[in-house]
Amino acid sequence: MSQADNWQGDVLRDLRGGGRQPAPQGGPGPAGQGATPPPPPPGPGQDPARPAAPQAPAPQAPHPGGPHPDAGPRIPSAAPRPQSHAPAHAPGPGPAHPAPARAARTPDSRPAVDPSLAAASRKPRNGEPFTARAARAIWRTVSSSVAREVAEVSRIAESLQQPVTTGRQIAVTSIRGGAGKSTVAALLGTTYAHYRQDPVLFVEADPALGSLPIRLGAESLRWTTGDVADIVQPQMSLLDITGYLVQLRDNAWLLPGSQGQIGAMLDFRSYERAMVALRRYFGVTVVDCETLPAEVARVALTASQACVLTTPATLDGVASTHAVLQWMQGLPPHVIGGTVVVLTEQAPHSGIDTDEAVRTLASTGTSVHVLPYDRHLADGGEIRTDLLAQATRTAATRIAADAFRLSQKRH
């Protein structure tokens, strides 16, 4: 990989500071010589609780006339009407061309939600009451603004389908818990997967019992970000990589941060190895970060092309976020210029004037959006786009388009 294409790796190495020495070339990193990653997931019919037999196939050599294995592929242009297409094999059996095995236990698959808690969930509600949906349908019938709405949707869809030559990484974070960070990350990634043809990756960089897998409807979890950091090799194809990921709808994939276990850890070195190795396989990667100022979150923000900062639509939430944005004004201009702020309404009637809050936060030079209250989102659980309120779908699409536009400005 040329230095022009490996800007992210340089940034991450610089972030560790000049006092630290780089890891030896033969270390556990994905590109280190002599690295021996763990075996792939078990094949069909094999007991998942029993480790797969060690295999040691020779690594695939690059095609003589093909690109260098470290060079990121050129993502094809997106068509006006993208079609979702899954890989030729299910993710369970593992990569088609596994990397050499080492003496390490293959992790067991665990359910994303404890089966004993399944009965506690109720039938998901629609995001808005029936009366509101009926009134909107009548209004659309008699209103003359339908054509403008269609034109706006077409414009946003076109911006979301812009081609990329290197994968775009968009980090979603907050300065406190309960700000809707995982919900916004799930909405953004789902929007990209719907509009784009290239693969979309969700990365959970918050191992502390994060809710992203539940919001995305994942049934079981196996390989985590820390596991994959020592597995991915430059010669592996997308088909190999997806064997370690959770397959979602619309050509989207999830790499969880943990298996829902208390005490799971993710250090920034494992995160950076995984992200530098994976970024070339996916057109857009949405990273659900820890809350600031956690170490992994700082690394993710530094290496991403755009940042989405979520905050509850409350007086203390807006005040804290405004103080953070004022501090960010003293950083390099691309930091605050690549930030999108999302005010999440968590009650039907917000306790603040959201229009005034938007004006105040936007005065710092950031782009600000409001994600309105939605009964379906407030209930938790898997997000079903068909049950979201119309205002929620519109807001999520605009936020996704704005973050993607900002990510295109940084290389």
Side-chain angles (χ1 to χ4, degrees):
M1 180 182 298
S2 64
Q3 287 192 345
D5 291 335
N6 197 26
W7 65 267
Q8 190 177 26
D10 296 337
V11 170
L12 294 171
R13 284 193 296 271
D14 293 342
L15 189 65
R16 290 197 293 263
R20 297 176 181 168
Q21 297 297 324
Q25 192 171 359
Q33 300 297 323
T36 52
Q46 183 176 345
D47 185 0
R50 183 175 303 169
Q55 299 179 9
Q60 289 182 324
H63 192 279
H68 190 277
D70 287 345
R74 183 172 296 275
I75 305 297
S77 301
R81 296 179 62 84
Q83 300 291 331
S84 62
H85 40 105
H89 78 301
H97 304 286
R102 71 177 180 184
R105 187 183 69 86
T106 300
D108 297 328
S109 180
R110 293 177 176 268
V113 179
D114 193 311
S116 62
L117 299 177
S121 62
R122 295 181 177 179
K123 181 180 179 181
R125 293 187 298 172
N126 199 293
E128 55 186 346
F130 172 78
T131 53
R133 301 197 303 272
R136 188 180 68 254
I138 296 174
W139 179 83
R140 285 177 59 86
T141 303
V142 300
S143 175
S144 60
S145 63
V146 176
R148 291 196 298 270
E149 291 182 7
V150 172
E152 175 70 7
V153 171
S154 299
R155 183 188 64 80
I156 294 177
E158 182 179 358
S159 66
L160 287 169
Q161 295 169 353
Q162 292 297 312
V164 295
T165 55
T166 57
R168 303 288 90 186
Q169 293 186 21
I170 298 174
V172 183
T173 188
S174 63
I175 58 175
R176 62 179 63 191
K181 173 175 58 66
S182 296
T183 298
V184 171
L187 289 173
L188 295 185
T190 301
T191 302
Y192 295 133
H194 174 74
Y195 282 99
R196 300 187 61 80
Q197 281 189 319
D198 43 32
V200 173
L201 176 64
F202 294 87
V203 174
E204 187 182 37
D206 185 0
L209 299 180
S211 60
L212 184 62
I214 298 176
R215 293 307 243 169
L216 294 173
E219 295 182 359
S220 61
L221 308 175
R222 192 172 194 178
W223 303 92
T224 65
T225 306
D227 299 327
V228 171
D230 295 329
I231 292 175
V232 177
Q233 298 291 313
Q235 72 272 15
M236 297 174 72
S237 67
L238 177 62
L239 193 64
D240 301 326
I241 296 298
T242 53
Y244 299 100
L245 307 177
V246 179
Q247 185 175 7
L248 306 171
R249 297 184 299 271
D250 291 332
N251 203 25
W253 307 86
L254 166 66
L255 180 58
S258 70
Q259 292 182 321
Q261 297 174 307
I262 295 178
M265 300 294 294
L266 175 63
D267 62 273
F268 77 90
R269 290 185 178 86
S270 296
Y271 171 81
E272 67 182 33
R273 289 201 308 272
M275 294 305 297
V276 170
L278 289 174
R279 71 183 182 93
R280 69 187 184 95
Y281 296 96
F282 299 91
V284 179
T285 299
V286 177
V287 184
D288 182 11
C289 301
E290 296 175 291
T291 55
L292 292 172
E295 189 175 42
V296 174
R298 296 199 304 269
V299 172
L301 292 177
T302 304
S304 298
Q305 286 86 23
C307 167
V308 177
L309 182 63
T310 63
T311 181
T314 59
L315 180 59
D316 56 336
V318 172
S320 301
T321 302
H322 186 248
V324 170
L325 294 177
Q326 288 180 317
W327 169 78
M328 290 172 63
Q329 286 180 315
L331 301 177
H334 69 82
V335 177
I336 197 166
T339 300
V340 177
V341 176
V342 178
L343 289 173
T344 58
E345 293 186 335
Q346 301 173 349
H349 304 287
S350 178
I352 63 172
D353 185 342
T354 54
D355 292 336
E356 182 62 30
V358 168
R359 284 192 293 270
T360 301
L361 296 177
S363 65
T364 61
T366 57
S367 179
V368 185
H369 296 266
V370 176
L371 184 65
Y373 172 77
D374 187 292
R375 296 191 312 177
H376 179 60
L377 295 179
D379 287 344
E382 178 184 359
I383 296 177
R384 289 178 46 182
T385 54
D386 60 312
L387 294 181
L388 293 174
Q390 178 63 36
T392 304
R393 290 197 294 267
T394 301
T397 305
R398 288 174 176 170
I399 295 168
D402 203 5
F404 184 72
R405 176 184 60 84
L406 294 178
S407 74
Q408 294 283 66
K409 295 182 176 180
R410 186 179 176 192
H411 301 284

